[in-house]
């Protein structure tokens, strides 16, 4: 099987994104399979554990599947800036005094 430069780092980063996002291998595999992925769920699990390599195309499809799942997550709460707080508590914006 042909691998590519940085294949191990690529695998580790895909796995980290899955773990940090809280996805199961089954969720990831289902999205990957819907994108025409050709590897079964057990092979994906073995790949993510570093036990087997996958062809570059399958790795990219897996990365695409993970990224699409991440895009579907609800946005996280963001911390407001001071100006945001002032604007949020200000009344309706009046024009400058004449």
């Amino acid at each position: 099987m042909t691998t590519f430069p940085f294949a191990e780092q690529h695998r580790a980063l895909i796995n980290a994104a899955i773990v940090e996002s809280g996805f199961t291998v089954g969720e990831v595999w289902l999205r990957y399979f819907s994108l025409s992925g050709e590897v079964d769920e057990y092979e994906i699990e073995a790949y993510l554990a570093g036990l087997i390599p996958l062809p570059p195309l399958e790795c990219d499809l897996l990365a695409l599947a993970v990224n699409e799942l991440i895009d579907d997550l609800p946005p996280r709460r963001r911390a407001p800036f001071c100006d945001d707080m002032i604007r949020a508590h200000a009344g309706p914006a009046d024009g400058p005094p004449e």
Side-chain angles (χ1 to χ4, degrees), residues 65-88:
V66 171
N67 289 335
E68 285 187 359
L69 286 169
I70 289 170
D71 288 343
D72 290 345
L73 290 174
R76 305 271 187 219
R77 180 188 310 261
R78 299 185 55 87
F81 294 102
C82 294
D83 287 347
D84 296 331
M85 296 297 296
I86 292 168
R87 277 193 298 276

Side-chain angles (χ1 to χ4, degrees), residues 14-35:
I14 291 171
N15 191 52
I18 292 168
V19 170
E20 289 172 16
S21 299
F23 300 128
T24 66
V25 173
E27 290 171 313
V28 171
W29 178 80
L30 190 59
R31 180 65 65 102
Y32 158 83
F33 185 73
S34 75
L35 296 168

